[in-house]
Amino acid sequence: MRLLPARPRLLALGEPTHGEDALLDLRNDLFRQLVEQEGYRTIAIESDCLMGLLVDDHVTSGAGTLDEVMERGFSHGWGAFPANRELVRWMRAYNDGRPAAQQVRFAGFDGPLEITGAASPRQALAALHAYLTAWVDPDLLPCDAATLDRLLGADDVWTNPAAMMDPSRSVGRTPEATRLRLLADDLVALLDAQTPHLVATSRREDWDRARLYARTATGLLRYHHWMADTSPSRMAWLLGVRDSMMAANLLALAERGPTLVNAHNGHLQRTRSTMRMGGRPVDWWSAGAIVDAHLGDRYAFLATALGTIRHQGVDTPPPDTVEGLLYALPEDRHLVDARRLAAVLAELTPAARVSPWFGYAPLDPAHVASTDGIVFVRDSGKGDPSPPHDND
């Protein structure tokens, strides 16, 4: 916190790769300290926002077993990581016997999206429609549940993995999908227009979840629409829609209170994201960049850099890279003042590290100055359980 002008509403801890025990253990350590010392009450990770509701229900009320929650409450395979299981176990133990206002909360902030495609919008649309049906004048609803069900059809046509590479296999621009986008837009408009009534008559928690369903339904329908696109901008739209959905979820969490966010550095950075797909450059704004534009200094980003991941062939970094400079420090874990580091790098003009493994993204020297701090982990083994050494 000494690196920051004020306690941020969203404190983002990035990682350069997924699934490394040392990074996830560090995240758990940090979250516990933020809860106990700084009043943070929510952790949000790069996982399906709808699945995450199961985890939140478990940690706040004990609903479901730990095994069930780890299997059904995480996307991308994150439920298999021991550190995520330990996080959920600790949160449930912390909340046991505490009133709701003092409990810690869990959130996924990714959309219901995988590399192979996107979920059907059925769950989000049906839940939004059910909430509005229960609380507003039925004559105001733009359609009934049966109409939504008919237009949605079978879920497997939405989740067809072939659509990711072949736009012609997507149903995102069929007449039914186009009609669904209009109905979803009307449902969201009705939710917004009825806010005074809904906040006064329904539980605040139910209203918050209805807003999540609304964001997810419209985001998924937009994502499917662009999956069916054949223009050169298709991938830029898909990547941008995903990060925009992430950003909207993070901004909603910021309304609730101070939150620790954990995801890949690329989703949390303030700079524009770039990559090459099919030999073509693609660029878009990350979730972190969008959130930063809204929140300013109420958003803080700590990028994590790794020295070695030896079991993936990532060995000792070259000494002329950012990771190489930090690797020469004596401790295993460090928190580095990014602005002071950027001033040093300006004199040294370090080389960009090249990763031999596709699953690891080294820190770009040009991005250091746009972070609030660098968390450096020397080696990706189990690591020292002590907190990072402060090198600010």
Side-chain angles (χ1 to χ4, degrees):
M1 291 298 170
R2 291 198 301 271
L3 295 178
L4 307 172
R7 184 183 70 169
R9 208 65 174 169
L10 291 177
L11 175 59
L13 177 67
E15 58 182 13
T17 186
H18 291 309
E20 290 300 314
D21 288 343
L23 302 187
L24 296 176
D25 289 341
L26 183 149
R27 175 207 64 190
N28 290 354
D29 291 344
L30 176 59
F31 183 56
R32 284 191 289 266
Q33 291 181 33
L34 290 171
V35 169
E36 295 165 357
Q37 301 173 22
E38 299 292 341
Y40 279 66
R41 286 293 177 267
T42 300
I43 186 168
I45 74 167
E46 188 185 334
S47 184
D48 185 324
C49 57
L50 300 186
M51 287 183 172
L53 297 176
L54 297 175
V55 185
D56 191 49
D57 285 343
H58 176 75
V59 301
T60 56
S61 70
T65 67
L66 181 57
D67 286 342
E68 291 169 344
V69 167
M70 299 313 297
E71 180 180 353
R72 299 173 49 232
F74 292 83
S75 60
H76 312 319
W78 296 167
F81 297 152
N84 284 341
R85 185 183 186 90
E86 174 57 24
L87 172 69
V88 175
R89 187 209 61 76
W90 178 84
M91 293 177 73
R92 177 65 201 131
Y94 181 91
N95 285 340
D96 192 24
R98 280 186 163 85
Q102 297 177 18
Q103 290 186 342
V104 291
R105 305 287 300 272
F106 178 93
F109 73 93
D110 200 355
L113 307 169
E114 294 282 357
I115 293 173
T116 55
S120 163
R122 180 185 304 279
Q123 179 185 357
L125 270 177
L128 173 60
H129 188 274
Y131 172 80
L132 291 170
T133 299
W135 294 105
V136 305
D137 182 346
D139 290 338
L140 293 174
L141 292 168
C143 66
D144 57 20
T147 298
L148 289 180
D149 191 59
R150 175 179 58 80
L151 292 171
L152 285 162
D155 284 344
D156 59 3
V157 302
W158 294 93
T159 58
N160 182 1
M164 180 52 72
M165 302 306 295
D166 182 358
S168 70
R169 305 292 293 275
S170 171
V171 296
R173 296 194 179 188
T174 62
E176 292 82 4
T178 300
R179 177 65 177 152
L180 282 169
R181 288 190 77 186
L182 291 172
L183 290 173
D185 185 66
D186 283 342
L187 289 170
V188 174
L190 182 59
L191 178 69
D192 184 61
Q194 293 291 314
T195 294
H197 167 68
L198 295 171
V199 169
T201 56
S202 71
R203 293 194 316 149
R204 180 74 184 217
E205 181 69 24
D206 293 336
W207 178 69
D208 278 339
R209 289 197 174 188
R211 294 167 69 206
L212 171 62
Y213 294 134
R215 294 192 300 272
T216 306
T218 53
L220 279 173
L221 286 165
R222 185 175 297 112
Y223 194 90
H224 281 287
H225 174 85
W226 284 100
M227 282 186 73
D229 185 57
T230 58
S231 77
S233 62
R234 177 178 184 261
M235 285 310 304
W237 263 101
L238 292 177
L239 294 165
V241 167
R242 181 189 179 193
D243 271 85
S244 180
M245 291 174 70
M246 288 182 169
N249 288 332
L250 290 176
L251 290 169
L253 291 171
E255 294 176 13
R256 193 164 75 187
T259 298
L260 175 67
V261 183
N262 182 225
H264 196 280
N265 286 330
H267 288 304
L268 302 177
Q269 67 189 26
R270 290 184 172 95
T271 53
R272 197 163 175 81
S273 300
T274 60
M275 66 186 304
R276 295 188 70 84
M277 300 192 72
R280 185 186 299 271
V282 182
D283 60 89
W284 71 101
W285 288 109
S286 70
I290 297 169
V291 168
D292 182 68
H294 283 273
L295 296 184
D297 63 9
R298 291 176 295 163
Y299 176 72
F301 170 44
L302 303 177
T304 298
L306 259 175
T308 70
I309 319 173
R310 298 193 191 279
H311 58 279
Q312 298 290 358
V314 182
D315 293 321
T316 304
D320 62 342
T321 63
V322 175
E323 289 85 355
L325 292 169
L326 298 175
Y327 197 81
L329 297 172
E331 305 293 335
D332 290 329
R333 287 161 38 162
H334 296 268
L335 175 60
V336 180
D337 184 332
R339 290 165 181 81
R340 291 185 62 187
L341 177 59
V344 172
L345 297 180
E347 300 294 327
L348 299 177
T349 60
R353 188 181 189 184
V354 178
S355 173
W357 175 47
F358 74 94
Y360 162 65
L363 194 63
D364 187 336
H367 291 177
V368 170
S370 64
T371 68
D372 295 292
I374 305 294
V375 176
F376 181 70
V377 177
R378 198 168 192 273
D379 299 295
S380 64
K382 189 65 178 175
D384 183 348
S386 62
H389 181 73
D390 191 345
N391 274 327
D392 65 339

